[in-house]
Amino acid sequence: MQELILKNNISPSKMEALIYFLKSWDIEVEIKHNTEVSSKKKSDFSLAAGLWKDHTIDANELRKKAWSRSL
């Protein structure tokens, strides 16, 4: 079994065209709606936040450093 994951919302007409194309190649298609996407995004952020737990971060200071760089 293989799984194809579409990450963005797709218009119904595009989804219908995609399904039609896959079926024309004798590929069985099953549509599942995943409702876990929003909760996964929150957990991904919390993992990244752990990188900075021992550092004091000031957004204004980061902006100053970023904008003062020369290429």
Side-chain angles (χ1 to χ4, degrees):
M1 179 180 156
Q2 294 178 339
E3 188 172 308
L4 175 65
I5 299 172
L6 304 172
K7 295 186 177 188
N8 295 324
N9 288 333
I10 298 176
S11 68
S13 61
K14 289 180 181 179
M15 183 65 75
E16 187 176 325
L18 179 59
I19 291 170
Y20 178 79
F21 172 76
L22 293 171
K23 286 184 177 182
S24 72
W25 281 61
D26 294 327
I27 297 173
E28 292 183 30
V29 179
E30 179 181 343
I31 299 174
K32 292 182 180 179
H33 297 281
N34 188 357
T35 58
E36 293 181 27
V37 174
S38 61
S39 64
K40 184 178 179 185
K41 287 181 182 177
K42 290 178 185 176
S43 66
D44 288 346
F45 177 76
S46 65
L47 291 174
L51 294 171
W52 303 103
K53 70 178 183 175
D54 296 328
H55 301 279
T56 58
I57 300 174
D58 180 27
N60 292 326
E61 186 65 31
L62 289 174
R63 286 187 191 99
K64 286 179 190 176
K65 287 180 181 179
W67 285 105
S68 66
R69 291 185 182 185
S70 60
L71 297 175

